[in-house]
Amino acid sequence: MGTYFSDVVDRAIEDLYYCCDNDKAKAAAYAMLYQAVSLGSAAAVLGALRMDMLTPELKEIMPFDSIKEAWDVIYEKAENGCAFCQYMIGNTYYFLDIIE
């Protein structure tokens, strides 16, 4: 762990995307989303966008000037081999979040 993200973020990713327990995943998303976005997690910004949870309040507190700026961070990590970031970038195209 800790190759592309901190151990805490890696744990959240595991809880959200790699576990089969929907209750655990929902609890992790709601408990950590606000904090993650406010602390500058580009993955949290794109995740919130995908879940339709990127509220005006979250957009205001995120340290990125735009969603595109957060997308660029994730894209760079995807280019460097992070499979999770590749998945997120793929989702932005598949679900047309890229238009945002």
Side-chain angles (χ1 to χ4, degrees), residues 36-92:
V37 170
S38 68
L39 293 175
S41 169
V45 171
L46 291 188
L49 178 63
R50 170 79 310 265
M51 296 182 296
D52 199 28
M53 295 175 63
L54 192 58
T55 63
E57 179 187 11
L58 284 179
K59 285 182 182 177
E60 189 173 313
I61 65 165
M62 71 180 188
F64 301 102
D65 291 330
S66 66
I67 295 170
K68 170 77 166 73
E69 188 178 331
W71 187 90
D72 288 342
V73 170
I74 297 302
Y75 187 83
E76 182 178 338
K77 291 179 183 191
E79 281 190 320
N80 288 323
C82 177
F84 177 72
C85 290
Q86 293 167 354
Y87 167 77
M88 291 191 87
I89 293 299
N91 273 345
T92 66

Side-chain angles (χ1 to χ4, degrees), residues 6-17 19 23-45 47-48 51 53 58 61:
S6 70
D7 287 344
V8 173
V9 173
D10 275 339
R11 179 82 241 157
I13 289 170
E14 285 183 27
D15 288 347
L16 291 169
Y17 292 96
C19 77
D23 291 333
K24 184 177 182 180
K26 284 181 184 177
Y30 295 124
M32 295 182 226
L33 186 63
Y34 185 90
Q35 182 179 8
V37 170
S38 68
L39 293 175
S41 169
V45 171
M51 296 182 296
M53 295 175 63
L58 284 179
I61 65 165

